[in-house]
């Protein structure tokens, strides 16, 4: 791998005259908000740009995060030469630890803050040895493989240390904006590198791939600094404790809040693991400058006057386990809402999180807090460029071809219309979806094929396999509950004991004793009518039973019964114990767990080859 070089001393190779084709394959971030992931492929070499996650929708029961489908990269991992990261937001780096469990990435380049946050994630996940982390500075150029020279261009966003990238490839220069806005008064003084964008525009940009998030909003996005006077006013007017909740990665917002707390002699208490982590890294890297004594542990702060305390916390999106949500629910061990507290939501809800956020706000107000929230309060600005920012980007880079990314479908359409208004012909741009393959040459752009582009779901146990079945079963559990049936069947085709039946989350006017009796009768009738179909005796006298087929038959009969009698479709879990090989029927008991879906049966000897001693399956009522 070549070392990092400054652009002033680097000679970028000329374009190849053999007309190679650059493939651009987004795996996430199209027709959605989040999990931004893009693949660039040329000459059998793959370069990855970002690998983010998204939050689950309301119907994804038990799911913590959503990742893009990585099938294409798993199948082509031998082509992967490296990754570049534009900035440190979760929707751009949050998926990397999960992907490294599936395939190696030789090297990852990115800004200092993003790489510091990523290093901690990789160490926690135990995959730090599966890649090399390298930091870059503005205008650095790195070579990745034989086909890519990547130039990092300082931009402005809602997190410190953010980049736009210029990819120098054999077909030409492709600029990917990353997330951006044009902030003329950045909090950290690090302005967008307009000169470098204009230089590339003058030399010639083959294709611009640009953030579309705010394409429907007119004007320029306000500067992050514009939030300062409004935060200052609300904090100065507060008579009691102040709690500010924002994105943990909003380093500039956090820095301003700490500055205001110092101005009014308030001690800062940091609540939330991610908030603590980001502040620690940002202080080490110089993005937050404040003395150590401005911070106070929560335990100590409880002994301070209320007007001397400011709490910085996570939970601006109403996340279930975040600190502010637990505070609102009265579940936080150290913080309880008191009348007179002022709580500032310095963030707007991400699409899909609105209900969770307003529910949190309601609960806080019910406990007597004064909650400051809403777009009209001027306590939050977006990190994404609006219509005029996008026009300026298009005018500076003057691309030949254009691909709008990072946004829902209507946002992509609007951005393409804006591009046309700046002079880019409609035939020189494409509206794409996750998994679409865009082929770029010096003289053409087109869609040509598709790769797998679904999602991977992650819960507390890790990546969910067989996710279609799992999520369907969880929907059934949430909607209609679960019915569990445990039974033992002997070699004579009769039940050894009465079946044990449990209903959890099932609403019905039918008595459970009647349901149990009906289930027992259904099983008995099924065994009488169908046993001969699944059991046969050889001339040697050995009995062979198709236990799997029998279980399927029983499940179907029980599903019909449950649906008819309960007038609903609960999840049916049938646990069937079978006798030991070569032995006659023995009377025994089934041990059934008390919780929904639990059940077990035990035997001291292994089941014979070809059939299982115990079966437990879950079926969705049809």
């Amino acid at each position: 791998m070549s070392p990092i070089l400054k652009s002033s001393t680097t000679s970028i190779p000329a374009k190849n005259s053999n007309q190679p084709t650059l493939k651009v394959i987004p795996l996430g971030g199209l027709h959605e908000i989040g999990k931004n992931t893009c693949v660039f492929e040329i000459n059998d070499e793959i370069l990855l740009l970002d690998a983010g996650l998204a939050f689950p929708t309301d119907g994804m029961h038990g799911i913590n995060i959503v990742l893009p489908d990585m099938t294409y990269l798993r199948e082509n991992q031998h082509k992967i030469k490296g990754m570049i990261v534009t900035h440190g937001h979760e929707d751009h780096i949050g998926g990397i630890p999960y992907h490294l469990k599936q395939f190696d990435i030789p090297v990852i380049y990115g800004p200092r803050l993003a790489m510091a946050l990523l290093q901690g994630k990789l160490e926690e996940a135990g995959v730090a040895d599966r890649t090399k982390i390298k930091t870059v500075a503005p205008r650095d150029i790195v070579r990745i493989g034989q086909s890519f020279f990547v130039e990092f261009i300082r931009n402005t966003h809602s997190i410190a240390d953010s980049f736009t990238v210029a990819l120098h490839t054999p077909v030409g220069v492709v600029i990917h904006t990353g997330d951006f806005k044009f902030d003329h008064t950045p909090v950290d003084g690090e302005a967008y590198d307009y000169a470098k964008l204009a230089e590339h525009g003058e030399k010639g940009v083959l294709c611009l791939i640009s953030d579309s998030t705010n394409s429907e909003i007119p004007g320029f996005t306000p500067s992050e600094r514009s939030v300062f006077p409004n935060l200052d006013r609300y904090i100065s007017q507060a008579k009691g404790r102040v709690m500010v909740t924002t994105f943990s990665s909003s380093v500039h917002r956090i820095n301003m809040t700490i500055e205001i707390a110092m101005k009014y002699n308030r001690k800062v208490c940091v609540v939330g693991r991610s908030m603590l982590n980001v502040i620690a890294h940002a202080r080490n890297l110089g993005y937050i400058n404040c003395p150590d004594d401005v911070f106070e542990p929560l335990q100590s702060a409880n002994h301070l006057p209320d007007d001397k305390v400011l709490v910085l916390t996570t939970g601006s999106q109403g996340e279930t386990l975040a600190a502010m949500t637990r505070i609102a629910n009265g579940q936080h061990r150290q913080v309880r809402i008191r009348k007179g507290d002022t709580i500032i939501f310095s963030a707007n809800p991400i699409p899909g999180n609105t209900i969770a956020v307003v529910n949190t706000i309601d609960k806080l107000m019910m406990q007597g807090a004064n909650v400051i929230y809403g777009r009209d309060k001027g306590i939050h600005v977006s990190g994404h460029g609006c219509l005029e920012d996008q026009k300026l980007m298009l005018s500076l880079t003057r691309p030949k071809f254009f691909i709008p990314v990072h946004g829902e479908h209507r946002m992509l359409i609007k951005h393409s219309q804006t591009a046309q208004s700046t002079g880019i012909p409609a035939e020189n741009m494409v509206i794409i979806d996750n998994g679409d393959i865009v082929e770029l040459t010096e003289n053409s752009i087109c869609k040509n094929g598709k790769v797998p582009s679904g999602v991977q779901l992650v819960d507390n146990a890790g990546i969910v396999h067989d996710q279609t079945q799992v999520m369907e079963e969880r929907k059934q559990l949430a909607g209609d509950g679960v019915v569990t049936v445990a039974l033992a069947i002997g070699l004579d085709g009769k039940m050894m004991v009465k079946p044990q039946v449990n209903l959890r989350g099932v609403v019905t006017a039918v008595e459970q004793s009647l349901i149990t009796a009906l289930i027992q009768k259904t099983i008995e009738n099924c065994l009488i009518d169908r046993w001969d179909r699944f059991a046969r005796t050889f001339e040697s006298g050995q009995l062979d039973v198709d236990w799997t087929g029998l279980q399927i038959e029983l499940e179907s009969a029980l599903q019909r019964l449950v649906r008819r009698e309960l007038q609903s479709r609960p999840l049916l879990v049938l646990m069937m114990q079978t006798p030991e090989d070569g032995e006659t029927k023995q009377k025994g008991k089934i041990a059934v767990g008390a919780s929904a879906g639990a059940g077990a049966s035990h035997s001291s000897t292994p089941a014979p080859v070809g059939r299982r001693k115990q079966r437990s399956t879950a079926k969705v009522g049809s």
Side-chain angles (χ1 to χ4, degrees):
M1 188 63 61
S2 299
I4 297 173
L5 304 170
K6 292 295 181 181
S7 58
S8 58
T9 63
T10 303
S11 176
I12 304 299
K15 290 182 286 187
N16 192 325
S17 60
N18 293 329
Q19 284 292 307
T21 298
L22 173 67
K23 294 180 181 179
V24 181
I25 311 171
L27 297 179
L30 275 298
H31 296 182
E32 63 184 354
I33 302 296
K35 63 184 179 71
N36 302 292
T37 306
C38 193
V39 175
F40 294 90
E41 182 175 349
I42 192 170
N43 297 333
D44 284 332
E45 293 186 335
I46 285 178
L47 169 67
L48 308 180
L49 186 145
D50 291 339
L53 53 78
F55 294 109
T57 61
D58 290 340
M60 295 180 179
H61 304 288
I63 297 303
N64 297 329
I65 62 170
V66 181
L67 302 171
D69 186 340
M70 289 286 115
T71 299
Y72 183 73
L73 292 179
R74 287 197 304 270
E75 293 175 349
N76 293 275
Q77 57 185 296
H78 60 284
K79 298 181 181 180
I80 299 174
K81 302 303 177 184
M83 171 184 281
I84 52 177
V85 167
T86 58
H87 64 282
H89 276 149
E90 285 294 289
D91 60 335
H92 290 259
I93 67 170
I96 298 176
Y98 298 95
H99 303 331
L100 284 173
K101 293 179 179 180
Q102 303 177 63
F103 51 83
D104 291 345
I105 301 174
V107 62
I108 302 177
Y109 290 99
R112 293 188 303 158
L113 179 58
M115 294 298 95
L117 296 172
L118 179 59
Q119 185 68 47
K121 291 176 179 294
L122 300 188
E123 291 174 356
E124 183 177 353
V127 292
D129 61 339
R130 305 200 67 171
T131 189
K132 293 180 180 178
I133 298 293
K134 295 191 177 183
T135 61
V136 292
R139 297 200 174 188
D140 280 352
I141 296 177
V142 299
R143 179 175 181 173
I144 299 179
Q146 299 298 314
S147 305
F148 297 100
F149 283 81
V150 183
E151 183 177 6
F152 293 85
I153 302 170
R154 169 69 71 202
N155 74 12
T156 46
H157 185 40
S158 55
I159 186 174
D161 217 3
S162 181
F163 286 128
T164 290
V165 294
L167 308 180
H168 299 263
T169 76
V171 300
V173 174
V174 175
I175 290 183
H176 194 297
T177 65
D179 290 352
F180 81 97
K181 68 178 181 180
F182 288 108
D183 192 335
H184 304 293
T185 57
V187 174
D188 58 6
E190 296 283 351
Y192 212 132
D193 193 346
Y194 302 93
K196 183 55 68 174
L197 286 178
E199 178 185 326
H200 282 297
E202 184 69 24
K203 291 180 178 179
V205 173
L206 177 68
C207 183
L208 176 68
I209 304 174
S210 187
D211 174 20
S212 306
T213 305
N214 283 342
S215 59
E216 300 172 294
I217 304 175
F220 285 97
T221 302
S223 169
E224 179 70 21
R225 177 58 69 174
S226 67
V227 173
F228 187 95
N230 298 312
L231 281 176
D232 186 291
R233 182 173 71 257
Y234 289 119
I235 293 173
S236 68
Q237 294 172 352
K239 303 301 182 183
R241 294 184 303 178
V242 174
M243 299 184 194
V244 178
T245 180
T246 188
F247 295 105
S248 61
S249 56
S250 296
V251 173
H252 300 319
R253 192 78 48 83
I254 293 169
N255 193 29
M256 288 189 292
T257 304
I258 294 173
E259 185 179 337
I260 295 169
M262 294 170 61
K263 178 180 178 181
Y264 296 108
N265 297 315
R266 288 180 180 265
K267 293 293 185 180
V268 176
C269 304
V270 183
V271 182
R273 181 184 177 191
S274 59
M275 185 76 76
L276 286 162
N277 186 43
V278 171
I279 290 176
H281 286 301
R283 291 187 73 200
N284 289 337
L285 296 172
Y287 292 110
I288 293 178
N289 295 301
C290 61
D292 292 341
D293 61 6
V294 72
F295 297 102
E296 193 77 25
L298 269 177
Q299 299 92 324
S300 303
N302 288 330
H303 302 293
L304 295 174
D306 285 354
D307 62 355
K308 297 299 179 185
V309 175
L310 185 146
V311 178
L312 260 174
T313 179
T314 57
S316 65
Q317 298 303 303
E319 305 97 314
T320 303
L321 299 179
M324 182 53 72
T325 307
R326 288 186 286 119
I327 292 171
N329 291 333
Q331 296 173 345
H332 198 280
R333 291 181 300 172
Q334 296 172 300
V335 183
R336 291 287 186 273
I337 295 299
R338 296 197 286 263
K339 190 173 182 179
D341 287 343
T342 295
I343 301 177
I344 300 173
F345 275 71
S346 186
N348 291 333
I350 294 172
N353 292 349
T354 302
I355 294 176
V357 172
V358 297
N359 286 342
T360 300
I361 291 172
D362 280 346
K363 292 175 183 177
L364 293 168
M365 286 183 167
M366 289 175 186
Q367 297 174 63
N370 174 34
V371 184
I372 310 298
Y373 68 97
R375 298 177 186 272
D376 61 319
K377 300 299 189 298
I379 51 178
H380 175 71
V381 294
S382 176
H384 301 269
C386 294
L387 185 61
E388 296 301 321
D389 296 86
Q390 293 172 355
K391 285 182 181 178
L392 180 54
M393 174 62 73
L394 288 157
S395 299
L396 285 170
T397 56
R398 294 185 286 174
K400 184 175 183 178
F401 301 113
F402 176 64
I403 305 174
V405 294
H406 297 182
E408 295 168 352
H409 184 71
R410 66 186 186 280
M411 302 171 186
L412 306 180
I413 293 295
K414 180 61 179 177
H415 201 176
S416 69
Q417 293 170 349
T418 300
Q420 291 177 56
S421 73
T422 65
I424 301 177
E427 60 269 22
N428 281 17
M429 60 186 73
V430 289
I431 304 296
I432 56 176
D433 200 353
N434 294 329
D436 285 345
I437 301 173
V438 179
E439 293 189 345
L440 273 170
T441 69
E442 294 180 27
N443 302 305
S444 67
I445 183 172
C446 67
K447 289 192 288 186
N448 186 13
K450 197 173 181 67
V451 305
S453 58
V455 296
Q456 286 184 324
L457 307 178
V458 180
D459 63 10
N460 291 332
I463 293 176
V464 178
H465 301 287
D466 299 323
Q467 60 189 33
T468 300
Q469 178 182 345
V470 169
M471 296 314 299
E472 185 64 31
E473 290 176 355
R474 289 183 180 182
K475 287 179 183 178
Q476 290 298 119
L477 283 168
D480 295 307
V482 60
V483 175
T484 62
V485 180
L487 72 151
I489 300 176
L491 291 174
D492 58 357
K494 296 180 180 180
M495 287 186 290
M496 299 168 65
V497 292
K498 290 182 179 180
Q500 295 190 20
V501 179
N502 281 300
L503 277 64
R504 295 291 184 267
V506 177
V507 178
T508 176
V510 183
E511 291 290 336
Q512 181 165 341
S513 58
L514 178 57
I515 291 293
T516 300
L518 289 171
I519 287 175
Q520 179 176 343
K521 187 64 176 176
T522 299
I523 295 172
E524 289 173 346
N525 290 340
C526 189
L527 290 173
I528 292 171
D529 296 338
R530 305 298 176 90
W531 176 254
D532 290 340
R533 287 180 52 187
F534 302 102
R536 61 174 179 163
T537 303
F538 295 99
E539 292 181 1
S540 62
Q542 181 180 0
L543 178 67
D544 180 70
V545 181
D546 179 7
W547 297 109
T548 300
L550 177 62
Q551 177 152 350
I552 293 172
E553 188 74 21
L554 289 170
E555 286 167 352
S556 298
L558 291 176
Q559 284 172 7
R560 291 191 295 270
L561 169 71
V562 167
R563 182 180 178 184
R564 182 181 68 249
E565 297 297 330
L566 301 183
Q567 294 297 302
S568 62
R569 299 185 180 186
L571 187 71
L572 174 68
V573 178
L574 174 61
M575 294 169 287
M576 192 171 79
Q577 185 184 44
T578 61
E580 297 170 2
D581 189 35
E583 294 186 9
T584 58
K585 179 182 68 173
Q586 298 180 11
K587 298 292 184 180
K589 293 183 179 180
I590 309 170
V592 181
S595 62
S601 59
H602 305 281
S603 176
S604 59
T605 59
V609 176
R611 63 183 176 90
R612 292 175 297 170
K613 181 172 49 186
Q614 175 196 355
R615 296 161 183 80
S616 176
T617 60
K619 294 290 183 181
V620 177
S622 57

